[in-house]
Amino acid sequence: MSFVRKPRPYSSGLPSVGLPQAARETARPEQKTGTRLRRVRGPRPAMSWAGAVTGLAVLGTALVILVGASGLWNSVARDWQFRSAAAGVTDVAR
């Protein structure tokens, strides 16, 4: 598939000499410049890109807090297990 733009037939860019002036004016109707309708914007979307970025930032912050709390809990649990094992070894040694 080629995306090269193909030239249109009979579009050399030169003015046409074969048509009389009256035929040229009737061939292309005049365009009205001032009566163009403007596009009416509807209601804005509920969530813009700024809202999406804010939402992602909040989710990222929650994830960082969750991972940090999990690491802290694992550290405390490991210390508790070590102290419990040390107390058991001390009891056996007595």
Side-chain angles (χ1 to χ4, degrees):
M1 184 179 228
S2 175
F3 293 103
V4 178
R5 195 169 186 182
K6 297 180 177 79
R8 295 182 193 164
Y10 311 112
S11 65
S12 65
L14 299 173
S16 59
V17 269
L19 293 174
Q21 183 69 22
R24 271 188 260 158
E25 289 177 0
T26 58
R28 181 183 284 177
E30 290 185 23
Q31 295 178 354
K32 298 178 183 178
T33 56
T35 61
R36 198 170 150 191
L37 295 174
R38 291 191 168 201
R39 195 176 105 194
V40 178
R41 283 188 149 182
R44 298 192 84 173
M47 190 168 189
S48 64
W49 67 269
V53 169
T54 304
L56 286 174
V58 167
L59 286 175
T61 303
L63 183 65
V64 166
I65 290 172
L66 181 67
V67 168
S70 173
L72 185 64
W73 174 257
N74 287 338
S75 176
V76 167
R78 188 175 54 239
D79 287 348
W80 176 77
Q81 284 180 338
F82 180 76
R83 287 174 197 251
S84 176
V89 168
T90 310
D91 285 344
V92 169
R94 284 187 199 173

